[in-house]
Amino acid sequence: MYSKDSVISLFRNFHQLIRKEELLSRLQTLSGLEYPQTSPAQERAAEYTFELLKKDDFFQAELLKFPADGKTVFHDKIMPLCWDISKGQLSLLSTGEILADYEQNSFAVVSGSTATPPEGINTKIITESQMLAGEDPTGALIMLPPSTRPCNTVLRPLLDLGAIGFVSDNLSNRYQSPDACQWVNGCTDAGDWHVTLEDRDFIGFSVSPKIGDKIRSLAEKGICNVHVLCDAKRYAGDMHVVTGLIPGKQKKEFWIAAHLYEPLMNDDSTGVTAAVEIAKMIRDAGQPEYSIRVIFAHELYGFAAYAASLGQYPGENVVGGCNLDDLASCQPGTLKLVPAGEAVPFHGNEILKECYQALNETVPGLDLESVGQYYDDLALGDSTVGIPLTWLMGKGKFWHNSVQCSIDYIDKDIFFRTVAFSAVYISLCANTPAETVSIVKTPSAPEKHTPLRDYAAQIVFKRKTVGFPFSLAKIPHRNRPALPDGMIYGPFANLLANMDGVKNMAEIILETEGERKTELNDGQIQRYLRMLNVLEKYGYLEAVKRPELNEEDIIAALKELGITKDDLLLVHASSSKCGFIRGGAETVVDCICKTAGTALFTTFTNPYIFLGGVNRAWSYRPFSPENIRAIWTGKAGRVLLEKYPEAIRSRHITHSWTGVGPLAEECLSVHGPTDPPCGETSPLAKALERNGKVLYFGTTLAPSTFLHYLEDQVRSEYLDTAVCKVKVSDGTFKTVTIERHLPGHRDFYTLEADNRKFFTKAVAAGLEVKSVQLGLAKLQLIDLKQFYEIGMKLLKEEPDILLCDSEKCLFCSKFRKKKQD
């Protein structure tokens, strides 16, 4: 398309034309304006950027306002709340030493933090390990370990457990910058990138590794008492978007995008200032083919707001664009050239390849990615929006580290080279009619057939909303699932972007595999299909065609297994594995309760502070029977508690069961809160006494809790004492111990449990596993008496039969070695 010499010549020309001192001055000014992190500072940065456009004579320069109120939604992005602060300080009570001070370092207080009383508060700092080991975090700050990145999966449990916030010294390249601290972003309670009305109050501090080590040392000795003072506030206000136009021969626009409001010199003050310079150079060279629009906004959120303001299909008048991000860093640095996702054909992808081929020797450090992406601002390339963006993004050795706030961090030679490269690429895109470029579409992966893929071939979805689902604003806050791949960071984005209401999901999976140059396994495909059903339920998608199971199908399958009103069932359910069930888990529970006499469902929780070692799980919550969200064993037990007033729940702290039916109380009432979880008083033992059965609804045999009852019966040597935390009625906590608990690993803890050694030998010994196919999965039924008799015989013959054979498994190999010794 273009000769190598002409592209090199264009590069040298742009490199010479760059107003280098002016560009560096603008860069430093803009970064300084953004450094405080606050909404007033962001407004000043937007006003400054707007003035740059006016100074360089951009046509139709605009400073636009959109709500920043924590509730308005654009393209399923909930807009952030505004935030301001003037004082934020953390100091030791014993000496008065200041550990973190916003006035000295704006990164010291995490954006979104809230205020203390005017006089501040006195509290303590405890470590994450101390908290997970049972120390009461109520009213305290939690010192996170260096490896823990502050984010919603960390903040949410801290707040649930009563902490007021955290201190973090998580830092990229910490050993090369021990006095620096991290800019913490994306740390919210509700899980969005920024604080909204759904977020609870918290206070977060970011400190250097040196300070972090000191705090941990004091906290581990129990003497880290601190004074916290903060006047931060959240409020409803405005988010500013800056845009300007260079008219071209066509009204159709090519966008140069960069994000404002990140307080680092290179991320993304370089992109914003370079975009203005590049657009001006292209304009000065003559009227471009396409009109060029520069657009500067809040990453992801501001761009969604602006695109939404353009109407139902924003890309109708936009040919595509380029996103500039982090165009300069210290050595060693590279410039990643990221193509746009392929859902919307874009001539810029082909031109990007040509620029790389022509300039990869002239511009050191170019790195062309082979896979188109939809992450961050590239999400505008979703087929429902229609604005494909390529991304030119620097890649240095630091990430959100405060050393990036210094002008000395910027390698000027790298900066000017990457600006010139970007100018070449954007100039060629803006001056080349798209119809003259042959766009090469990545072919789909070769056709494959598995039961799951054949099932997917029967499913057709159609998009109903504009923009990728992201905040899941249509779903009640506490019910929001985690989107696969963070929605925009993997194959799930391709699946959604490629939906057209005609292609079936098997075709889209193959298309995605071709685009991503990968093969999706059944586990991934099942997760994706499950999430598509959730998105359809809440109005993001329309199911044009989809096989579904209903109450009649389920009851017929249960009866085919031989289940009657005389039966007492222990139920392990994973209903989504069967495919789409009309009514979901509620229908499954209803059908089981209608078919069986008594049904008991698992409602296990994770209140451990010690079980074979100190707990490290962020799912840890002190046991409280009122907190049914803490149940980790699936939806069925929660549905029973929520929908069945007559449901009875046993009192056990870790291994409670919930049931309905004439035998439910008899089975559940005798299991004490701290009895062995699977001992003689457990529902497992009572169900055995009553000739019960185990129903595996959609699962393999992996969740066979009854095997733990057998372990308890033979007093397996690896059973141990658990230490747990319990919330009592007055809101305080107590620590309890539970004997003969279940630490460690087992051989059947796998999706292949049906074929592992216990079940292989048990079936050979006569264990009957009845099975009925229901959709994609099986329903399986085992008689408890037979299970007990054969299982006990096998355990007595081979006491370690339930342990795995891997030498890499420290738990199982430890007890196997004991036996050998």
Side-chain angles (χ1 to χ4, degrees), residues 741-754:
H741 216 291
L742 312 164
H745 185 252
R746 302 291 189 277
D747 189 54
F748 61 93
Y749 289 176
T750 171
L751 293 176
E752 290 78 40
D754 303 41

Side-chain angles (χ1 to χ4, degrees), residues 492-661:
F492 193 61
N494 297 67
L495 290 182
L496 283 172
N498 291 332
M499 280 181 188
D500 59 3
V502 177
K503 290 179 288 192
N504 65 55
M505 287 310 304
E507 294 171 320
I508 292 175
I509 288 166
L510 294 175
E511 196 173 1
T512 293
E513 290 175 321
E515 291 173 356
R516 303 290 309 185
K517 296 179 172 57
T518 189
E519 181 174 343
L520 302 181
N521 61 45
D522 276 2
Q524 287 174 292
I525 293 171
Q526 200 156 48
R527 284 195 301 274
Y528 293 160
L529 294 179
R530 198 156 53 232
M531 181 53 64
L532 295 179
N533 286 330
V534 172
L535 294 175
E536 184 273 336
K537 176 181 177 180
Y538 287 100
Y540 291 96
L541 304 175
E542 175 188 339
V544 177
K545 184 175 90 170
R546 174 178 58 186
E548 63 177 56
L549 299 166
N550 56 34
E551 182 175 325
E552 291 75 19
D553 299 319
I554 297 168
I555 289 177
L558 293 170
K559 288 182 176 179
E560 188 178 344
L561 272 179
I563 296 172
T564 72
K565 278 295 182 180
D566 294 327
D567 283 321
L568 162 61
L569 299 180
L570 298 173
V571 182
H572 298 289
S574 181
S575 55
S576 62
K577 297 284 179 63
C578 296
F580 177 72
I581 295 175
R582 177 62 60 187
E586 289 186 31
T587 298
V588 171
V589 170
D590 287 344
C591 291
I592 292 172
C593 292
K594 286 177 181 178
T595 309
T598 298
L600 309 180
F601 295 82
T602 56
T603 47
F604 301 169
T605 55
N606 181 24
Y608 307 104
I609 55 179
F610 185 92
L611 180 60
V614 176
N615 182 38
R616 290 287 183 270
W618 281 111
S619 59
Y620 159 71
R621 299 290 189 282
F623 176 73
S624 172
E626 291 78 25
N627 183 16
I628 65 172
R629 293 192 60 79
I631 296 167
W632 63 266
T633 47
K635 293 181 180 179
R638 294 199 296 268
V639 166
L640 204 67
L641 287 169
E642 290 173 338
K643 305 295 182 182
Y644 282 70
E646 70 273 27
I648 301 167
R649 186 179 184 184
S650 65
R651 298 171 295 152
H652 199 268
I653 288 168
T654 65
H655 281 66
S656 68
W657 292 72
T658 298
V660 292

